[in-house]
């Protein structure tokens, strides 16, 4: 892959089955998916299968566009045990076609107007019977939950989350970024900090729609901890200064942080 200018440009790559002979397409596609995501077992519905992935790594998150013929892919416990990959969350924004994501006892339809999240560290299946296209946001799982102020859980996996209200803006940002990251990587890199923040907002928003408990308390504590990490060198750092930095009153800050449940 090309080297990345750490200040601006993401590391990008594009893979396509058109680069290999037709009889090698499925094996090549599995290799491609392993590089861009994690190892899975693909089973195309069409003998003339084709697929393409455009990928960009922004450091705190990655973003890809995946287009393919109909296929079913699965990740078993055996494949998970063989791999040494970091654990990721993937948020799917569908541009074209429909599919079904199954994981953690849930099953969700992936279609335009919905976002579905799944995790690399648990068995899953993705089933697309017809050609499809989707934008995929890649998030390091542990950090994503922490930045969103949430406990790691399966509550948000393989459930349909409507792309409406505030989430419409998040979807529009990532789809627009994905459309330009190969043609203007430097410009895309300049927007990367906003993407990292929006990725955290995506999980927080999804948690709200699913009724996850303690969200406001956890968010408050995470904001306070993040402020502390970035301002530990300040000699006058106290509750009042932290409260100002977190845009809350000191009493609310102390109450919320003391009530928030500890992380496992």
């Amino acid at each position: 892959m090309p080297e990345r200018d750490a200040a601006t440009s993401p590391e990008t790559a594009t893979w396509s089955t058109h680069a290999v002979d037709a009889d090698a397409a499925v094996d090549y596609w599995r290799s491609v998916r392993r590089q861009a995501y994690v190892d899975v077992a693909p089973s195309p519905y069409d003998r003339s299968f084709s697929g393409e992935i455009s990928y960009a790594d922004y450091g705190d998150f990655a973003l890809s566009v995946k287009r393919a013929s109909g296929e079913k892919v699965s990740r078993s416990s055996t494949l998970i045990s063989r791999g040494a990959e970091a654990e990721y969350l993937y948020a799917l924004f569908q541009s074209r076609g429909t599919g079904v994501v199954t994981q953690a006892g849930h099953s969700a339809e992936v279609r335009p107007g919905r976002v579905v999240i799944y995790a690399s560290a648990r068995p899953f299946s993705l089933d697309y019977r017809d050609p499809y296209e989707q934008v995929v946001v890649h998030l390091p799982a542990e950090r994503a939950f922490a930045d969103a102020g949430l406990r790691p859980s399966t509550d948000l996996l393989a459930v349909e989350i409507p792309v409406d209200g505030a989430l419409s803006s998040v979807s529009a940002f990532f789809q627009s970024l994905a459309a330009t990251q190969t043609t203007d990587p430097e410009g895309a890199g300049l927007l990367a900090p906003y993407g990292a923040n929006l990725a955290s907002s995506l999980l927080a928003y999804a948690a709200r729609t699913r009724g996850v408990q303690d969200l406001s308390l956890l968010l408050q504590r995470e904001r306070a901890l993040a402020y502390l990490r970035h301002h530990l060198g300040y000699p006058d750092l106290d509750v009042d200064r932290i409260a100002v930095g977190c845009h809350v009153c000191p009493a609310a800050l102390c109450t919320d942080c003391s009530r928030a449940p500890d992380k496992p």
Side-chain angles (χ1 to χ4, degrees):
M1 297 181 189
E3 292 186 359
R4 178 179 61 180
D5 178 347
T8 54
S9 301
E11 179 180 339
T12 62
T14 298
W15 301 277
S16 173
T17 56
H18 294 302
V20 299
D21 293 336
D23 57 0
V26 176
D27 289 338
Y28 176 80
W29 185 243
R30 179 170 185 171
S31 174
V32 164
R33 293 192 67 121
R34 184 164 55 244
Q35 293 180 71
Y37 310 100
V38 289
D39 194 16
V40 294
S43 299
Y45 284 111
D46 191 336
R47 296 185 64 181
S48 58
F49 176 82
S50 65
E52 178 181 288
I53 295 173
S54 298
Y55 173 94
D57 183 356
Y58 295 90
D60 292 332
F61 70 99
L63 190 64
S64 64
V65 179
K66 175 153 51 81
R67 306 176 184 90
S69 305
E71 62 170 340
K72 182 173 184 178
V73 301
S74 59
R75 181 163 167 84
S76 64
S77 298
T78 301
L79 286 180
I80 293 171
S81 66
R82 289 177 183 171
E85 304 99 339
E87 295 183 9
Y88 276 83
L89 297 179
Y90 300 107
L92 308 179
F93 291 93
Q94 200 79 351
S95 306
R96 178 170 58 91
T98 61
V100 176
V101 177
T102 301
Q103 185 174 56
H106 307 150
S107 188
E109 184 180 47
V110 189
R111 55 190 173 93
R114 297 286 185 273
V115 59
V116 175
I117 299 168
Y118 71 98
S120 67
R122 292 177 174 271
F124 64 77
S125 68
L126 312 174
D127 193 355
Y128 308 97
R129 292 192 171 270
D130 297 304
Y132 69 95
E133 177 180 326
Q134 59 192 192
V135 172
V136 186
V137 183
H138 310 219
L139 304 170
E142 183 175 356
R143 178 171 180 173
F145 279 116
D147 286 351
L150 299 171
R151 293 177 182 271
S153 76
T154 62
D155 291 344
L156 302 180
L157 304 182
V159 296
E160 297 177 34
I161 302 165
V163 177
D164 55 17
L167 195 53
S168 297
S169 299
V170 177
S171 174
F173 174 87
F174 284 119
Q175 299 218 38
S176 178
L177 186 62
T180 60
Q181 63 190 11
T182 55
T183 58
D184 183 13
E186 185 172 340
L190 291 172
L191 297 175
Y194 302 100
N197 291 334
L198 284 173
S200 297
S201 299
L202 167 62
L203 284 185
Y205 185 95
R208 189 184 71 173
T209 65
R210 298 293 297 171
V212 173
Q213 299 299 310
D214 298 318
L215 176 59
S216 61
L217 300 181
L218 287 166
L219 283 172
Q220 184 61 65
R221 186 177 69 169
E222 290 302 326
R223 291 192 189 111
L225 291 175
Y227 189 88
L228 280 168
R229 285 193 292 268
H230 286 88
H231 297 84
L232 283 176
Y234 282 60
D236 59 343
L237 186 64
D238 57 17
V239 171
D240 290 335
R241 187 181 181 93
I242 296 170
V244 171
C246 295
H247 308 291
V248 298
C249 69
L253 176 65
C254 295
T255 301
D256 284 350
C257 289
S258 65
R259 291 172 54 202
D262 292 332
K263 292 182 181 180

